[in-house]
């Protein structure tokens, strides 16, 4: 009798779920790429395996979307995900659906209401405050920070000429030093301290978030808190938050001291400070409380460090494999900066057109964030005619969009920076390494300036070559290079650790 009752409840539940999901099932049937799916688990099995396998699965589904005119989809367990590789549809999703995917709130322990993954009502006012801080005017002031820190990196690399080196470690340290100095206003000197507790905690935290993201049964907090790994995870969040808390405290004490000084001295100090204020100081001025400050600082560091490092490192690898592009870039650098060691100045940035094109072309082929997911909250029809329904995850497949031949031509897979010189985008959303619309990357301009500085300084000082064991670089002939092997953890990275070889230019 009890069994019969359980069976009845189960059948009723099953019928209810099927009825509730009827619109989603209709949409799933339209996706047409069902051959990638298995019953119950959907496409989840494609994402099992190594980080490289995961990236391969993402690429496969992206190509599938391109083949089907820009739209594909599949069930990820009980969640329907539609995959979009068409800029017209992507633009509409980015306009209408501002909510981030639910699973991403697993970073909430660290970031709290930090605006990156925050719910829309919290995100909107915070974004309004942060955006002007990353404006062009402020970035010009930060150029000195980028230059000084990239020069530190160059000094380290000079000792490694003539041997294969993995750039990732050096550029990530540069990137973290720069972002911490501009955000928190402190010099971390990670470049000289690879075992800095903040760096180690940051890297362990990222790895643990990815492990959890890939095991959906660990999403509920009460389950994760029962796992032995939770203690390690909690320790990392504590280290990161405590570090930032101490910096905020020190800054507040300093501000209080300034207030207590006599007015003349105060004015003098204030003038000095105004000449370059960190994001933290600007937010204190606005009146943010300590918790909000901590959340926003951690968001900027988390969002800005690895992404910019990956962008610059991919660019260096692409330059090492395309000597004719590197030669042309070197010529531009000589033309704009002369044969000197002088640091980059704000007025140089808009003149370095080819450098910008090289970085943009790298981010097209190797976008550090290869896809973003938005939650659909209300029903709407896309320009392609597909009707999205609530609770569907819309995956904007940046990687596939950037290789869609309808918008990039038949040479979409080739590395050709020149395509960015004529600025002939067929649709503004066809290129979106920093995402698109009002919730795009707030740090896009900051990231471009940081990457331009570090690549300009690298190429002025060194000739970048592929490591000897991968390609013979004796010949200057252009040859078709293989696509880079990539993997996907929290972002997309190079499987071979961005390995290059450097030779000092005379
Ligand atoms: C090459 C470097 C970078 C790339 C490729 C990149 C890419 C992205 C992407 C794709 C998003 C997701 C937007 C969405 O969900 O639609 C994003 C968001 C964000 N990025 Fe970046 N980013 C980079 C560097 C930076 C830097 C340097 C900072 C900080 C200084 C930063 C801060 C943020 C923040 C705060 C958000 C959340 C924006 C919001 O929700 O309003 N990013 N980024």
């Amino acid at each position: 009798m009890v069994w019969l009752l359980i069976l009845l409840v189960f059948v009723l539940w099953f019928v209810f779920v099927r009825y509730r999901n009827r619109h989603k099932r209709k949409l799933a049937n339209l996706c047409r790429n069902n051959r990638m799916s298995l019953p119950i688990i959907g496409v989840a099995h494609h994402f099992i395996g190594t980080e490289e396998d995961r990236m391969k699965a993402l690429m496969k589904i992206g190509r599938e979307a391109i083949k089907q005119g820009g739209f594909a989809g599949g069930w990820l367990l009980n969640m329907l995900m539609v995959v979009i590789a068409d800029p017209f549809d992507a633009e509409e999703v980015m306009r209408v659906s501002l909510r981030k995917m639910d699973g991403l709130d697993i970073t909430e322990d660290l970031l709290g209401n930090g605006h990156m993954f925050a719910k829309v009502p919290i995100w909107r006012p915070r974004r309004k405050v942060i955006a002007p801080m990353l404006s062009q005017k402020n970035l010009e002031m930060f150029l000195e920070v980028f230059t000084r820190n990239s020069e530190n990196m160059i000094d380290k690399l000079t000792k490694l000429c003539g041997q294969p080196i993995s750039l990732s470690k050096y550029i990530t340290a540069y990137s973290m030093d720069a972002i911490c100095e501009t955000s928190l206003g402190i010099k971390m000197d990670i470049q000289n301290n690879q075992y800095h507790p903040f760096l180690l905690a940051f890297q362990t935290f990222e790895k643990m978030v990815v492990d959890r993201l890939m095991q959906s049964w660990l999403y509920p907090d009460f389950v994760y808190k029962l796992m032995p790994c939770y203690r390690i995870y909690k320790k990392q969040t504590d280290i990161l938050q405590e570090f930032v808390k101490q910096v905020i405290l020190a800054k507040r004490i300093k501000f209080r001291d300034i207030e207590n000084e006599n007015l003349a001295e105060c004015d003098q100090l204030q003038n000095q400070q105004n000449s370059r204020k960190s994001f933290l100081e600007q937010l204190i001025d606005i009146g943010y409380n300590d918790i909000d400050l901590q959340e926003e600082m951690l968001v900027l560091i988390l969002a800005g460090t690895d992404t910019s490092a990956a962008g610059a490192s991919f660019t260096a690898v692409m330059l090492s494999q395309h000597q004719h592009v590197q030669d042309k870039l070197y010529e531009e650098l000589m033309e704009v900066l002369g044969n000197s060691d002088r640091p980059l100045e704000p007025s140089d940035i808009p003149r370095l057109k080819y450098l910008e094109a090289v970085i943009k072309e790298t981010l097209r082929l190797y976008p550090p964030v290869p896809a973003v997911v938005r939650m659909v909250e209300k029903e709407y029809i896309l320009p392609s005619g597909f009707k999205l329904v609530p609770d569907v995850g819309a995956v904007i497949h940046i990687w596939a969009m950037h290789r869609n031949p309808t918008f990039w031509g038949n040479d979409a897979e080739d590395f050709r920076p020149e395509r960015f010189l004529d600025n002939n985008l067929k649709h503004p959303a066809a290129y979106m390494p920093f995402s698109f619309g009002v919730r795009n990357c707030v740090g896009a301009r900051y990231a471009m300036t940081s990457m331009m500085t570090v690549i300009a300084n690298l190429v002025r000082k060194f000739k970048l070559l592929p490591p000897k064991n991968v390609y013979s670089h004796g010949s200057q002939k252009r040859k078709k290079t293989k696509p880079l092997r990539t993997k996907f953890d929290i972002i997309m990275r190079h499987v071979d650790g961005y390995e290059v070889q450097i030779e000092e230019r005379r």
Side-chain angles (χ1 to χ4, degrees):
M1 186 63 191
V2 176
W3 285 111
L4 211 62
L5 203 66
I6 293 176
L7 188 69
L8 186 69
V9 170
F10 181 76
V11 169
L12 283 176
W13 174 80
F14 185 74
V15 171
F16 169 71
V17 170
R18 276 189 74 81
Y19 177 75
R20 206 184 50 184
N21 282 348
R22 65 194 185 286
H23 298 302
K24 288 198 225 166
R25 277 189 289 116
K26 206 169 143 191
L27 178 59
N29 290 339
L30 291 174
C31 290
R32 297 192 303 263
N33 56 318
N34 286 335
R35 65 196 168 81
M36 288 184 75
S37 285
L38 290 179
I40 302 180
I41 60 167
V43 293
H45 60 294
H46 290 285
F47 292 88
I48 297 171
T50 63
E51 290 164 347
E52 189 176 3
D53 294 334
R54 212 177 286 154
M55 189 63 217
K56 279 185 187 158
L58 194 67
M59 295 193 292
K60 189 169 170 195
I61 203 155
R63 291 209 188 277
E64 197 75 20
I66 295 177
K67 219 164 60 193
Q68 294 180 179
F71 199 88
W75 292 93
L76 201 57
L77 303 173
N78 64 344
M79 175 121 183
L80 178 63
M81 310 292 273
V82 294
V83 178
I84 295 170
D86 169 86
F88 289 94
D89 283 353
E91 182 182 27
E92 187 64 357
V93 172
M94 295 307 206
R95 190 181 66 79
V96 182
S97 299
L98 298 180
R99 196 176 121 203
K100 298 273 171 111
M101 189 189 157
D102 291 344
L104 295 176
D105 53 20
I106 63 174
T107 56
E108 202 174 327
D109 283 343
L110 178 71
L111 303 179
N113 283 323
H115 80 281
M116 184 157 58
F117 300 121
K119 305 269 180 299
V120 176
I122 297 171
W123 160 76
R124 210 182 284 278
R126 290 198 176 195
R127 166 93 184 200
K128 273 199 186 129
V129 171
I130 288 282
M133 292 181 191
L134 290 142
S135 70
Q136 193 64 40
K137 184 175 135 266
N138 277 350
L139 292 186
E140 289 178 359
M141 295 195 280
F142 292 132
L143 192 58
E144 187 273 321
V145 175
F146 298 149
T147 302
R148 183 166 25 80
N149 283 296
S150 64
E151 279 166 2
N152 282 349
M153 187 191 83
I154 303 281
D155 282 350
K156 300 236 152 345
L157 292 179
T158 307
K159 297 175 194 116
L160 302 170
C161 285
Q163 49 180 303
I165 46 166
S166 158
L167 277 180
S168 142
K169 189 169 82 181
Y170 299 93
I171 299 194
T172 303
Y174 152 78
S175 188
M176 187 170 262
D177 273 345
I179 199 128
C180 287
E181 193 170 338
T182 47
S183 304
L184 299 171
I186 56 165
K187 294 192 171 92
M188 298 275 271
D189 203 16
I190 301 272
Q191 299 197 62
N192 285 318
N193 186 359
Q194 286 166 30
Y195 302 105
H196 195 296
F198 189 85
L199 176 71
L200 297 183
F202 178 84
Q203 288 172 335
T204 314
F205 172 83
E206 277 191 336
K207 193 180 168 314
M208 296 190 79
V209 165
V210 178
D211 288 347
R212 190 174 170 194
L213 262 179
M214 291 303 138
Q215 303 172 72
S216 48
W217 59 93
L218 294 180
Y219 285 8
D221 278 341
F222 75 92
V223 177
Y224 196 55
K225 283 181 179 165
L226 292 174
M227 297 289 144
C229 57
Y230 178 71
R231 273 191 29 237
I232 308 173
Y233 171 84
K234 178 83 178 66
K235 194 169 163 207
Q236 312 313 311
T237 51
D238 287 349
I239 294 174
L240 295 170
Q241 289 176 338
E242 194 50 38
F243 186 89
V244 173
K245 229 181 257 175
Q246 291 306 322
V247 176
I248 296 170
L249 187 68
K251 206 55 85 180
R252 287 224 189 264
I253 292 172
K254 194 172 151 199
F255 274 22
R256 215 164 298 147
D257 289 349
I258 293 175
E259 272 172 26
N260 292 339
E261 296 292 327
N262 67 50
L263 265 178
E265 236 177 286
C266 176
D267 280 351
Q268 201 188 350
L269 269 167
Q270 209 63 45
N271 282 342
Q272 276 171 17
Q273 295 237 329
N274 280 340
S275 66
R276 195 177 73 213
K277 279 193 172 181
S278 64
F279 300 139
L280 175 61
E281 288 162 330
Q282 294 180 56
L283 289 177
I284 290 178
D285 281 352
I286 289 169
Y288 266 41
N289 66 34
D290 286 2
I291 294 288
D292 296 351
L293 286 172
Q294 179 190 302
E295 291 171 353
E296 290 305 322
M297 288 303 105
L298 284 167
V299 158
L300 292 176
I301 298 169
L302 192 75
T305 302
D306 275 1
T307 45
S308 313
S313 309
F314 272 125
T315 308
V317 173
M318 292 311 274
L319 286 170
S320 76
Q321 295 191 354
H322 297 83
Q323 288 302 317
H324 61 289
V325 174
Q326 194 179 156
D327 292 345
K328 199 166 160 185
L329 173 58
Y330 185 68
E331 262 171 42
E332 179 183 81
L333 292 168
M334 288 302 103
E335 207 179 292
V336 175
L337 305 168
N339 194 2
S340 71
D341 287 347
R342 80 161 172 85
L344 255 73
E345 284 166 11
S347 58
D348 296 325
I349 299 287
R351 295 175 63 206
L352 294 168
K353 295 258 182 280
Y354 194 63
L355 172 59
E356 189 184 359
V358 169
I359 296 176
K360 281 186 165 174
E361 177 69 341
T362 306
L363 297 183
R364 182 182 72 81
L365 288 172
Y366 300 101
V369 183
V372 292
V373 190
R374 296 289 175 86
M375 288 307 297
V376 177
E377 290 182 291
K378 61 173 187 188
E379 197 174 286
Y380 58 98
I381 298 178
L382 296 176
S384 59
F386 286 101
K387 183 160 71 173
L388 296 188
V389 293
D391 293 331
V392 162
V395 180
I396 306 298
H397 206 306
I398 299 177
W399 183 93
M401 192 112 53
H402 287 179
R403 290 168 187 251
N404 189 338
T406 312
F407 297 90
W408 294 98
N410 288 335
D411 67 349
E413 302 285 333
D414 295 349
F415 181 68
R416 193 172 63 78
E418 286 70 16
R419 71 176 91 234
F420 281 98
L421 293 177
D422 45 23
N423 242 344
N424 249 345
L425 279 187
K426 290 199 174 151
H427 187 285
Y431 181 68
M432 54 153 90
F434 297 105
S435 184
F436 196 78
V438 290
R439 204 163 184 180
N440 69 350
C441 173
V442 75
R445 220 171 297 145
Y446 177 105
M448 278 307 287
T449 315
S450 169
M451 291 184 291
M452 283 174 81
T453 312
V454 77
I455 293 295
N457 286 343
L458 259 179
V459 174
R460 284 163 90 190
K461 177 83 177 180
F462 305 115
K463 195 169 175 109
L464 301 169
L465 301 162
K468 278 207 178 85
N469 54 349
V470 179
Y471 300 95
S472 98
H473 63 264
S475 132
Q476 289 294 317
K477 264 196 217 150
R478 292 183 199 184
K479 49 187 165 195
K480 205 125 178 116
T481 48
K482 285 191 197 149
L484 304 181
R485 283 173 63 196
T486 51
K487 59 182 184 178
F488 184 50
D489 49 56
I490 209 161
I491 59 163
M492 184 171 94
R493 303 178 207 260
H494 187 212
V495 170
D496 302 318
Y498 311 98
E499 208 182 38
V500 296
Q501 201 154 310
I502 51 174
E503 228 170 53
E504 205 163 351
R505 291 186 193 271
R506 309 226 173 262

